[in-house]
Structure formats: C-alpha cells, structure tokens
Amino acid sequence: NAGVTQTPKFQVLKTGQSMTLQCAQDMNHEYMSWYRQDPGMGLRLIHYSVGAGITDQGEVPNGYNVSRSTTEDFPLRLLSAAPSQTSVYFCASSTGTFYGYTFGSGTRLTVV
Amino acid sequence: KNQVEQSPQSLIILEGKNCTLQCNYTVSPFSNLRWYKQDTGRGPVSLTIMTFSENTKSNGRYTATLDADTKQSSLHITASQLSDSASYICVVSAGFQKLVFGTGTRLLVSP
C-alpha cells in the first residue's frame, strides 16, 4: 500500500507563479484534506473534501483552490504564489473526520 | 478560544529511559484526543485516539492518558529507543472539521 502520495517533495516558486501540489491516496478514503505547517504553529486546515465532487474551505483557504474529481486525487492549486505561502504542505485522508488520519510525507514550498 | 498547549517544547533523554509528554487543552465541544508522531521531514503518524470515556490507551511502548475533567492528556514512552526521536503532536477534535493541533514536543533520545 502506498498510502497517501504527495508530489513534489520540494518546490521553489517565484512570487506570482502558480502551481499545483498533487495528492493521491489508494485506500478508498472518502475524506481528504490539505494542511500547512509553519514553525511554531500547529497544522492549519486549508481545504477539505468529504467525497468526489464536494469540497469546502478550512481555516486558511485564501490563495488556494482545490477540486475533487475522483476519490483518489485531491490537488491543491496556488493561484499566484506569495512569500507568505512558504510552508510545508501535508495532504491527509481518512474514512471519516472522527477517525485517524493518514498523512502524506509533505511538500516543502518556498516562495521567493 | 480553542487551544492545545503542549509541554515541554523540547526534551532530551537517554536511550532506555522513560518520559512523559503533557497536553492541556481548552477545546469545546470535545470529541476525541489524538497523539501523533512526526519524524523529521515526514508526515504525522497516528499513535492513539481517545474518546471522552477512555482514560488510557496503549500502542506498544506508547501509553496515552486522558483526564476529561481537567482537560489534560499525557503520552508516556517506556524504554525509549533512538527511533523515538521525533516531534509528538497532541490534537483535539471539537467535531466535524474542527481539529485543533498543538505545536508539538520535540523529543531527542540520546545514546
């Protein structure tokens, strides 16, 4: 089992560029979410999805878009990168929000 | 304001020793409390999940306790190993989509 796979592992962007962080899971989990982790802060929820075709905003959604066309994939799009988006991004999946989450290994993004 | 505070921020122990990490929370309503282990450069990995009615839950050498009255939890690590070096994150669920993450305790197990 691959679990939750995130690509790329590292990325450097220039301010204003756009990119997509990929997330795929092979556990047939309905629930998927994106978090960012910044130094000295707990993980913060960006966007989440409770199933294909259904997405919603989390705590810090500004500057990010998501879509969920299949159960397996949940990409995160940065529309116009800003230095404030420099962070480590984690994708997670679960059978439900009241169950344990499986996290990917993360994408370290630097915006210069 | 919903908050999860962990102590200590960092800890160094000798291999083979035991240690206890603390988590205090002010999260309402309370659904469950989770402990995760995060190795450097990796995503968090679930250790335990406890609901309101559970006082203790073990996962190998890891034992979590929960006192819902005082809103405190602890994670006890027995006979530490070098591979236990990681950050340990306490997470409290306040219901659907309301996970409150602590900032973690960074543990270093020294040979």
mmCIF file with all atom_site columns, all heavy atoms in Angstrom, chain B residues 75-95:
data_model
loop_
_atom_site.group_PDB
_atom_site.id
_atom_site.type_symbol
_atom_site.label_atom_id
_atom_site.label_alt_id
_atom_site.label_comp_id
_atom_site.label_asym_id
_atom_site.label_entity_id
_atom_site.label_seq_id
_atom_site.pdbx_PDB_ins_code
_atom_site.Cartn_x
_atom_site.Cartn_y
_atom_site.Cartn_z
_atom_site.occupancy
_atom_site.B_iso_or_equiv
_atom_site.pdbx_formal_charge
_atom_site.auth_seq_id
_atom_site.auth_comp_id
_atom_site.auth_asym_id
_atom_site.auth_atom_id
_atom_site.pdbx_PDB_model_num
ATOM 1   N N   . LEU B 1 75 ? 1.332   11.582 27.257 1.00 0.00 ? 75 LEU B N   1
ATOM 2   C CA  . LEU B 1 75 ? 1.841   10.469 26.459 1.00 0.00 ? 75 LEU B CA  1
ATOM 3   C C   . LEU B 1 75 ? 3.102   9.968  27.143 1.00 0.00 ? 75 LEU B C   1
ATOM 4   O O   . LEU B 1 75 ? 4.068   10.723 27.278 1.00 0.00 ? 75 LEU B O   1
ATOM 5   C CB  . LEU B 1 75 ? 2.149   10.903 25.029 1.00 0.00 ? 75 LEU B CB  1
ATOM 6   C CG  . LEU B 1 75 ? 2.672   9.800  24.102 1.00 0.00 ? 75 LEU B CG  1
ATOM 7   C CD1 . LEU B 1 75 ? 1.568   8.785  23.810 1.00 0.00 ? 75 LEU B CD1 1
ATOM 8   C CD2 . LEU B 1 75 ? 3.218   10.382 22.798 1.00 0.00 ? 75 LEU B CD2 1
ATOM 9   N N   . HIS B 1 76 ? 3.063   8.715  27.575 1.00 0.00 ? 76 HIS B N   1
ATOM 10  C CA  . HIS B 1 76 ? 4.190   8.123  28.277 1.00 0.00 ? 76 HIS B CA  1
ATOM 11  C C   . HIS B 1 76 ? 4.916   7.172  27.334 1.00 0.00 ? 76 HIS B C   1
ATOM 12  O O   . HIS B 1 76 ? 4.288   6.307  26.721 1.00 0.00 ? 76 HIS B O   1
ATOM 13  C CB  . HIS B 1 76 ? 3.701   7.364  29.512 1.00 0.00 ? 76 HIS B CB  1
ATOM 14  C CG  . HIS B 1 76 ? 4.805   6.843  30.365 1.00 0.00 ? 76 HIS B CG  1
ATOM 15  N ND1 . HIS B 1 76 ? 5.573   7.635  31.181 1.00 0.00 ? 76 HIS B ND1 1
ATOM 16  C CD2 . HIS B 1 76 ? 5.280   5.572  30.520 1.00 0.00 ? 76 HIS B CD2 1
ATOM 17  C CE1 . HIS B 1 76 ? 6.463   6.896  31.807 1.00 0.00 ? 76 HIS B CE1 1
ATOM 18  N NE2 . HIS B 1 76 ? 6.316   5.651  31.422 1.00 0.00 ? 76 HIS B NE2 1
ATOM 19  N N   . ILE B 1 77 ? 6.214   7.350  27.239 1.00 0.00 ? 77 ILE B N   1
ATOM 20  C CA  . ILE B 1 77 ? 7.034   6.478  26.393 1.00 0.00 ? 77 ILE B CA  1
ATOM 21  C C   . ILE B 1 77 ? 7.928   5.654  27.306 1.00 0.00 ? 77 ILE B C   1
ATOM 22  O O   . ILE B 1 77 ? 8.685   6.206  28.127 1.00 0.00 ? 77 ILE B O   1
ATOM 23  C CB  . ILE B 1 77 ? 7.889   7.292  25.405 1.00 0.00 ? 77 ILE B CB  1
ATOM 24  C CG1 . ILE B 1 77 ? 6.988   8.193  24.557 1.00 0.00 ? 77 ILE B CG1 1
ATOM 25  C CG2 . ILE B 1 77 ? 8.697   6.358  24.503 1.00 0.00 ? 77 ILE B CG2 1
ATOM 26  C CD1 . ILE B 1 77 ? 7.738   9.134  23.631 1.00 0.00 ? 77 ILE B CD1 1
ATOM 27  N N   . THR B 1 78 ? 7.825   4.357  27.162 1.00 0.00 ? 78 THR B N   1
ATOM 28  C CA  . THR B 1 78 ? 8.572   3.426  28.019 1.00 0.00 ? 78 THR B CA  1
ATOM 29  C C   . THR B 1 78 ? 9.803   2.899  27.289 1.00 0.00 ? 78 THR B C   1
ATOM 30  O O   . THR B 1 78 ? 9.745   2.600  26.099 1.00 0.00 ? 78 THR B O   1
ATOM 31  C CB  . THR B 1 78 ? 7.677   2.246  28.412 1.00 0.00 ? 78 THR B CB  1
ATOM 32  O OG1 . THR B 1 78 ? 6.503   2.752  29.060 1.00 0.00 ? 78 THR B OG1 1
ATOM 33  C CG2 . THR B 1 78 ? 8.380   1.299  29.346 1.00 0.00 ? 78 THR B CG2 1
ATOM 34  N N   . ALA B 1 79 ? 10.896  2.794  28.042 1.00 0.00 ? 79 ALA B N   1
ATOM 35  C CA  . ALA B 1 79 ? 12.132  2.206  27.490 1.00 0.00 ? 79 ALA B CA  1
ATOM 36  C C   . ALA B 1 79 ? 12.469  2.814  26.135 1.00 0.00 ? 79 ALA B C   1
ATOM 37  O O   . ALA B 1 79 ? 12.486  2.126  25.108 1.00 0.00 ? 79 ALA B O   1
ATOM 38  C CB  . ALA B 1 79 ? 12.000  0.695  27.404 1.00 0.00 ? 79 ALA B CB  1
ATOM 39  N N   . SER B 1 80 ? 12.735  4.094  26.129 1.00 0.00 ? 80 SER B N   1
ATOM 40  C CA  . SER B 1 80 ? 12.905  4.840  24.881 1.00 0.00 ? 80 SER B CA  1
ATOM 41  C C   . SER B 1 80 ? 13.996  4.240  23.984 1.00 0.00 ? 80 SER B C   1
ATOM 42  O O   . SER B 1 80 ? 14.992  3.663  24.455 1.00 0.00 ? 80 SER B O   1
ATOM 43  C CB  . SER B 1 80 ? 13.227  6.298  25.178 1.00 0.00 ? 80 SER B CB  1
ATOM 44  O OG  . SER B 1 80 ? 14.425  6.385  25.923 1.00 0.00 ? 80 SER B OG  1
ATOM 45  N N   . GLN B 1 81 ? 13.779  4.415  22.682 1.00 0.00 ? 81 GLN B N   1
ATOM 46  C CA  . GLN B 1 81 ? 14.733  3.965  21.670 1.00 0.00 ? 81 GLN B CA  1
ATOM 47  C C   . GLN B 1 81 ? 15.138  5.155  20.812 1.00 0.00 ? 81 GLN B C   1
ATOM 48  O O   . GLN B 1 81 ? 14.433  6.170  20.768 1.00 0.00 ? 81 GLN B O   1
ATOM 49  C CB  . GLN B 1 81 ? 14.091  2.874  20.805 1.00 0.00 ? 81 GLN B CB  1
ATOM 50  C CG  . GLN B 1 81 ? 13.648  1.661  21.587 1.00 0.00 ? 81 GLN B CG  1
ATOM 51  C CD  . GLN B 1 81 ? 12.942  0.629  20.722 1.00 0.00 ? 81 GLN B CD  1
ATOM 52  O OE1 . GLN B 1 81 ? 12.732  0.823  19.531 1.00 0.00 ? 81 GLN B OE1 1
ATOM 53  N NE2 . GLN B 1 81 ? 12.568  -0.487 21.337 1.00 0.00 ? 81 GLN B NE2 1
ATOM 54  N N   . LEU B 1 82 ? 16.252  5.018  20.139 1.00 0.00 ? 82 LEU B N   1
ATOM 55  C CA  . LEU B 1 82 ? 16.720  6.116  19.293 1.00 0.00 ? 82 LEU B CA  1
ATOM 56  C C   . LEU B 1 82 ? 15.665  6.497  18.255 1.00 0.00 ? 82 LEU B C   1
ATOM 57  O O   . LEU B 1 82 ? 15.514  7.674  17.907 1.00 0.00 ? 82 LEU B O   1
ATOM 58  C CB  . LEU B 1 82 ? 18.031  5.734  18.593 1.00 0.00 ? 82 LEU B CB  1
ATOM 59  C CG  . LEU B 1 82 ? 19.218  5.454  19.502 1.00 0.00 ? 82 LEU B CG  1
ATOM 60  C CD1 . LEU B 1 82 ? 20.448  5.066  18.673 1.00 0.00 ? 82 LEU B CD1 1
ATOM 61  C CD2 . LEU B 1 82 ? 19.541  6.658  20.383 1.00 0.00 ? 82 LEU B CD2 1
ATOM 62  N N   . SER B 1 83 ? 14.904  5.522  17.798 1.00 0.00 ? 83 SER B N   1
ATOM 63  C CA  . SER B 1 83 ? 13.875  5.777  16.790 1.00 0.00 ? 83 SER B CA  1
ATOM 64  C C   . SER B 1 83 ? 12.686  6.570  17.340 1.00 0.00 ? 83 SER B C   1
ATOM 65  O O   . SER B 1 83 ? 11.816  6.990  16.568 1.00 0.00 ? 83 SER B O   1
ATOM 66  C CB  . SER B 1 83 ? 13.374  4.458  16.204 1.00 0.00 ? 83 SER B CB  1
ATOM 67  O OG  . SER B 1 83 ? 12.833  3.644  17.229 1.00 0.00 ? 83 SER B OG  1
ATOM 68  N N   . ASP B 1 84 ? 12.640  6.751  18.654 1.00 0.00 ? 84 ASP B N   1
ATOM 69  C CA  . ASP B 1 84 ? 11.570  7.575  19.230 1.00 0.00 ? 84 ASP B CA  1
ATOM 70  C C   . ASP B 1 84 ? 11.848  9.064  19.060 1.00 0.00 ? 84 ASP B C   1
ATOM 71  O O   . ASP B 1 84 ? 10.985  9.895  19.327 1.00 0.00 ? 84 ASP B O   1
ATOM 72  C CB  . ASP B 1 84 ? 11.412  7.276  20.727 1.00 0.00 ? 84 ASP B CB  1
ATOM 73  C CG  . ASP B 1 84 ? 10.875  5.879  20.992 1.00 0.00 ? 84 ASP B CG  1
ATOM 74  O OD1 . ASP B 1 84 ? 10.113  5.363  20.141 1.00 0.00 ? 84 ASP B OD1 1
ATOM 75  O OD2 . ASP B 1 84 ? 11.209  5.300  22.044 1.00 0.00 ? 84 ASP B OD2 1
ATOM 76  N N   . SER B 1 85 ? 13.049  9.410  18.636 1.00 0.00 ? 85 SER B N   1
ATOM 77  C CA  . SER B 1 85 ? 13.376  10.819 18.393 1.00 0.00 ? 85 SER B CA  1
ATOM 78  C C   . SER B 1 85 ? 12.461  11.359 17.299 1.00 0.00 ? 85 SER B C   1
ATOM 79  O O   . SER B 1 85 ? 12.491  10.897 16.151 1.00 0.00 ? 85 SER B O   1
ATOM 80  C CB  . SER B 1 85 ? 14.839  10.967 17.976 1.00 0.00 ? 85 SER B CB  1
ATOM 81  O OG  . SER B 1 85 ? 15.706  10.598 19.015 1.00 0.00 ? 85 SER B OG  1
ATOM 82  N N   . ALA B 1 86 ? 11.646  12.340 17.673 1.00 0.00 ? 86 ALA B N   1
ATOM 83  C CA  . ALA B 1 86 ? 10.628  12.870 16.762 1.00 0.00 ? 86 ALA B CA  1
ATOM 84  C C   . ALA B 1 86 ? 9.888   13.989 17.484 1.00 0.00 ? 86 ALA B C   1
ATOM 85  O O   . ALA B 1 86 ? 10.154  14.271 18.649 1.00 0.00 ? 86 ALA B O   1
ATOM 86  C CB  . ALA B 1 86 ? 9.639   11.778 16.359 1.00 0.00 ? 86 ALA B CB  1
ATOM 87  N N   . SER B 1 87 ? 8.968   14.601 16.764 1.00 0.00 ? 87 SER B N   1
ATOM 88  C CA  . SER B 1 87 ? 8.018   15.525 17.403 1.00 0.00 ? 87 SER B CA  1
ATOM 89  C C   . SER B 1 87 ? 6.731   14.779 17.682 1.00 0.00 ? 87 SER B C   1
ATOM 90  O O   . SER B 1 87 ? 6.286   13.962 16.857 1.00 0.00 ? 87 SER B O   1
ATOM 91  C CB  . SER B 1 87 ? 7.736   16.721 16.492 1.00 0.00 ? 87 SER B CB  1
ATOM 92  O OG  . SER B 1 87 ? 8.838   17.588 16.445 1.00 0.00 ? 87 SER B OG  1
ATOM 93  N N   . TYR B 1 88 ? 6.136   15.048 18.834 1.00 0.00 ? 88 TYR B N   1
ATOM 94  C CA  . TYR B 1 88 ? 4.885   14.406 19.224 1.00 0.00 ? 88 TYR B CA  1
ATOM 95  C C   . TYR B 1 88 ? 3.817   15.483 19.331 1.00 0.00 ? 88 TYR B C   1
ATOM 96  O O   . TYR B 1 88 ? 3.974   16.453 20.076 1.00 0.00 ? 88 TYR B O   1
ATOM 97  C CB  . TYR B 1 88 ? 5.065   13.648 20.538 1.00 0.00 ? 88 TYR B CB  1
ATOM 98  C CG  . TYR B 1 88 ? 5.979   12.461 20.359 1.00 0.00 ? 88 TYR B CG  1
ATOM 99  C CD1 . TYR B 1 88 ? 7.361   12.607 20.426 1.00 0.00 ? 88 TYR B CD1 1
ATOM 100 C CD2 . TYR B 1 88 ? 5.458   11.200 20.060 1.00 0.00 ? 88 TYR B CD2 1
ATOM 101 C CE1 . TYR B 1 88 ? 8.205   11.538 20.209 1.00 0.00 ? 88 TYR B CE1 1
ATOM 102 C CE2 . TYR B 1 88 ? 6.301   10.117 19.850 1.00 0.00 ? 88 TYR B CE2 1
ATOM 103 C CZ  . TYR B 1 88 ? 7.664   10.302 19.913 1.00 0.00 ? 88 TYR B CZ  1
ATOM 104 O OH  . TYR B 1 88 ? 8.503   9.226  19.699 1.00 0.00 ? 88 TYR B OH  1
ATOM 105 N N   . ILE B 1 89 ? 2.754   15.286 18.574 1.00 0.00 ? 89 ILE B N   1
ATOM 106 C CA  . ILE B 1 89 ? 1.733   16.310 18.434 1.00 0.00 ? 89 ILE B CA  1
ATOM 107 C C   . ILE B 1 89 ? 0.423   15.831 19.050 1.00 0.00 ? 89 ILE B C   1
ATOM 108 O O   . ILE B 1 89 ? -0.045  14.726 18.766 1.00 0.00 ? 89 ILE B O   1
ATOM 109 C CB  . ILE B 1 89 ? 1.496   16.659 16.948 1.00 0.00 ? 89 ILE B CB  1
ATOM 110 C CG1 . ILE B 1 89 ? 2.810   17.128 16.301 1.00 0.00 ? 89 ILE B CG1 1
ATOM 111 C CG2 . ILE B 1 89 ? 0.426   17.738 16.811 1.00 0.00 ? 89 ILE B CG2 1
ATOM 112 C CD1 . ILE B 1 89 ? 2.712   17.323 14.797 1.00 0.00 ? 89 ILE B CD1 1
ATOM 113 N N   . CYS B 1 90 ? -0.144  16.672 19.893 1.00 0.00 ? 90 CYS B N   1
ATOM 114 C CA  . CYS B 1 90 ? -1.450  16.410 20.506 1.00 0.00 ? 90 CYS B CA  1
ATOM 115 C C   . CYS B 1 90 ? -2.507  17.146 19.687 1.00 0.00 ? 90 CYS B C   1
ATOM 116 O O   . CYS B 1 90 ? -2.320  18.326 19.337 1.00 0.00 ? 90 CYS B O   1
ATOM 117 C CB  . CYS B 1 90 ? -1.435  16.905 21.943 1.00 0.00 ? 90 CYS B CB  1
ATOM 118 S SG  . CYS B 1 90 ? -2.994  16.743 22.822 1.00 0.00 ? 90 CYS B SG  1
ATOM 119 N N   . VAL B 1 91 ? -3.587  16.467 19.371 1.00 0.00 ? 91 VAL B N   1
ATOM 120 C CA  . VAL B 1 91 ? -4.640  17.046 18.538 1.00 0.00 ? 91 VAL B CA  1
ATOM 121 C C   . VAL B 1 91 ? -5.977  16.777 19.202 1.00 0.00 ? 91 VAL B C   1
ATOM 122 O O   . VAL B 1 91 ? -6.285  15.637 19.551 1.00 0.00 ? 91 VAL B O   1
ATOM 123 C CB  . VAL B 1 91 ? -4.649  16.433 17.122 1.00 0.00 ? 91 VAL B CB  1
ATOM 124 C CG1 . VAL B 1 91 ? -5.669  17.141 16.240 1.00 0.00 ? 91 VAL B CG1 1
ATOM 125 C CG2 . VAL B 1 91 ? -3.266  16.476 16.504 1.00 0.00 ? 91 VAL B CG2 1
ATOM 126 N N   . VAL B 1 92 ? -6.782  17.810 19.357 1.00 0.00 ? 92 VAL B N   1
ATOM 127 C CA  . VAL B 1 92 ? -8.105  17.641 19.961 1.00 0.00 ? 92 VAL B CA  1
ATOM 128 C C   . VAL B 1 92 ? -9.163  17.948 18.905 1.00 0.00 ? 92 VAL B C   1
ATOM 129 O O   . VAL B 1 92 ? -9.089  18.973 18.212 1.00 0.00 ? 92 VAL B O   1
ATOM 130 C CB  . VAL B 1 92 ? -8.284  18.563 21.180 1.00 0.00 ? 92 VAL B CB  1
ATOM 131 C CG1 . VAL B 1 92 ? -9.677  18.366 21.776 1.00 0.00 ? 92 VAL B CG1 1
ATOM 132 C CG2 . VAL B 1 92 ? -7.216  18.267 22.222 1.00 0.00 ? 92 VAL B CG2 1
ATOM 133 N N   . SER B 1 93 ? -10.127 17.053 18.799 1.00 0.00 ? 93 SER B N   1
ATOM 134 C CA  . SER B 1 93 ? -11.214 17.240 17.851 1.00 0.00 ? 93 SER B CA  1
ATOM 135 C C   . SER B 1 93 ? -12.411 17.836 18.566 1.00 0.00 ? 93 SER B C   1
ATOM 136 O O   . SER B 1 93 ? -12.863 17.317 19.587 1.00 0.00 ? 93 SER B O   1
ATOM 137 C CB  . SER B 1 93 ? -11.603 15.910 17.209 1.00 0.00 ? 93 SER B CB  1
ATOM 138 O OG  . SER B 1 93 ? -12.774 16.070 16.425 1.00 0.00 ? 93 SER B OG  1
ATOM 139 N N   . ALA B 1 94 ? -12.918 18.930 17.986 1.00 0.00 ? 94 ALA B N   1
ATOM 140 C CA  . ALA B 1 94 ? -14.113 19.576 18.536 1.00 0.00 ? 94 ALA B CA  1
ATOM 141 C C   . ALA B 1 94 ? -15.328 19.265 17.678 1.00 0.00 ? 94 ALA B C   1
ATOM 142 O O   . ALA B 1 94 ? -16.338 19.933 17.783 1.00 0.00 ? 94 ALA B O   1
ATOM 143 C CB  . ALA B 1 94 ? -13.887 21.085 18.612 1.00 0.00 ? 94 ALA B CB  1
ATOM 144 N N   . GLY B 1 95 ? -15.200 18.248 16.827 1.00 0.00 ? 95 GLY B N   1
ATOM 145 C CA  . GLY B 1 95 ? -16.316 17.887 15.979 1.00 0.00 ? 95 GLY B CA  1
ATOM 146 C C   . GLY B 1 95 ? -15.921 17.927 14.525 1.00 0.00 ? 95 GLY B C   1
ATOM 147 O O   . GLY B 1 95 ? -14.741 17.997 14.185 1.00 0.00 ? 95 GLY B O   1
#
